[in-house]
Amino acid sequence: MRPEVGWRPGGASEPAEAVSSFFGMEAMIQRAAPTPEALLARFGLDAFRPGQREAVQAALDGRDSLVVMPTGGGKSLCYQLPALGNDLNPARPLVVVVSPLIALMSDQWRRLREAGVRSTMLASGMEDGHNAQALREIAQGETQLVLAAPERFASGAFRDALAARRVDLFVVDEAHCVAEWGHDFRPDYLRLNDAIASLNGGPGAQGRPAVMAATATATPKVAEEIAARLGLRDWVSVRSGFDRPNLTFDVVSVEGKGAVARKRAALLYALREQSARPAIVYCGTRKDTEEVAGMLAQAGMATATYHAGMSPDARRESQARFMDGRAEVVVATNAFGMGVDKAQVRTVAHWALPTSLEAYYQEAGRGGRDGEWARALLLASRMDLGRLIRFIKEREMTVQDVKRYVASLRYEAQGEARLTIGHGELGERQRVLLSIAERAGAVELRPAGSDGLLVLLTGKGSPQKAHAAIQAARNRGWEAYKSIERYAADGELCRRRQILDHFGDPEQGRPTGRCCDVCDPDEGLKRAMAAAPAKARQRAGRTGRGSAGGRGSGTGGSSSAIAGLG
């Protein structure tokens, strides 16, 4: 049943005159409630992108929604406009946006202020006094929208500031992080449902605010898990379509003798022109990251590297060099990308297969966010499949493994029923073990602010539930593997069609340029690979170790670079 739209008067204990006056005021406000089109005009825009109007209307109507739009599809506008529309409401309702990374929040905060939305953000690393001032602005009703990381809800001061306000809309950005088996699961997202329930929603909100879950990569199965995890009620499904018409998808199979040389030739060919940059090159290992960056630097490109083995300062410097244009190409592991909003990326190349088609499409979607042409290049090798299989097998576990892990947590807690796990301390296997233990009831998880994740040891748990969760994890891992294996191997079906089918999008793809290697092969790319002899393996330099801050000439001279492979 569609919830009633509009505001209702407060509690029955209020004086009758006040209730009548307030009701009359709200009735007038409701009649003057802004339309999505009016809010769009205030933002200085002429037309909505697909799905945006429906998402904005759901928020204005006080309804929960699950908004699935491709990267660059304009998800942020869906909650920025409702915040702008709260100007006319004397109750000064607030929009709360949860984002996973500071870089993402900082960029959105800048854009909000430029658009005239009174907003603030709370995060670690801000200037002295900023967070305290932001809390005052929230509590006093001076801000319309607040951006915060999920762990911020562990802060009593933050919760107190929110308690002083009516929250009309709670937004979970990058909502796939809440899906336990999504490609970017984050434990801090697990208890957002509790945070939502603690907030004061507007009249008619059934106690809590409307919730908008927004993501770019969610299969129908992951979307259902997001809705369940966040407790969405009578939610509006907004799926704008997954097609990125301005992206060209190329998959290059590199096998047998000389495979590495052909990979190098393909990458250098794809990046040879200045118009193919800025570019992101994703690698599967830190070693490959360094070596590929060194190769590109030798070819005359200004490069930067980014991976978890670098210090935080070095990673920040690499990201800054790429964002401000000092580096044309960033060569990175999948640690790079989320929250990096560089609209004019022209090429996203994968030196190795990612773990799933979802992860691939999220990373490939970082190209062409300005709407102009961009290329997504996947260099596929059977060796990569072996790496992914090993990765899956390394994650396999038994109920006894889960019991031993919980016992280790209990030992670490030193007799207490709780302990805190710091940010970044969980390895991939530990993350899965902790998740299964939580599903089995052996632990409960809470955000612990800047300290990380609070783990409550319950002293109980169901082996049957643990076994079921282990089986589910195993199945999801193999499903993810099969999705990227099929995509890389199927040279008969349009690559765009394969992606749309995976995400359950029946719409016809409408490429604005060359579609893919299946529908319209790049003959120049084929010739460049054919010209690369096997001996190039020895002749290509391995100077990657010094490439993190290295700078090429930036001239792009690709013909000489490819000739050098001979």
Side-chain angles (χ1 to χ4, degrees), residues 112-125:
L112 285 164
R113 288 181 296 171
E114 290 173 353
V117 177
R118 297 193 309 275
S119 56
T120 191
M121 67 173 282
L122 289 101
S124 58

Side-chain angles (χ1 to χ4, degrees), residues 97-102 105 122-123 147-153 158 192:
V97 181
V98 176
S99 284
L101 289 182
I102 293 176
M105 288 192 287
L122 289 101
L147 295 146
E151 59 268 21
R152 187 59 53 174
F153 287 90
F158 182 52
L192 286 181

Side-chain angles (χ1 to χ4, degrees), residues 47-54 67-70 73-74 78 238-241:
F48 284 109
R49 295 182 184 180
Q52 286 181 323
R53 190 193 186 284
E54 293 83 350
V67 180
V68 183
M69 293 181 178
C78 298
V238 180
R239 295 174 72 89
S240 67

Side-chain angles (χ1 to χ4, degrees), residues 242 452 509:
F242 281 87

Side-chain angles (χ1 to χ4, degrees), residues 232-251:
L232 300 188
R233 304 183 300 212
D234 188 25
W235 46 284
V236 177
S237 176
V238 180
R239 295 174 72 89
S240 67
F242 281 87
D243 191 18
R244 292 289 305 281
N246 59 315
L247 293 188
T248 294
F249 297 96
D250 285 318
V251 177

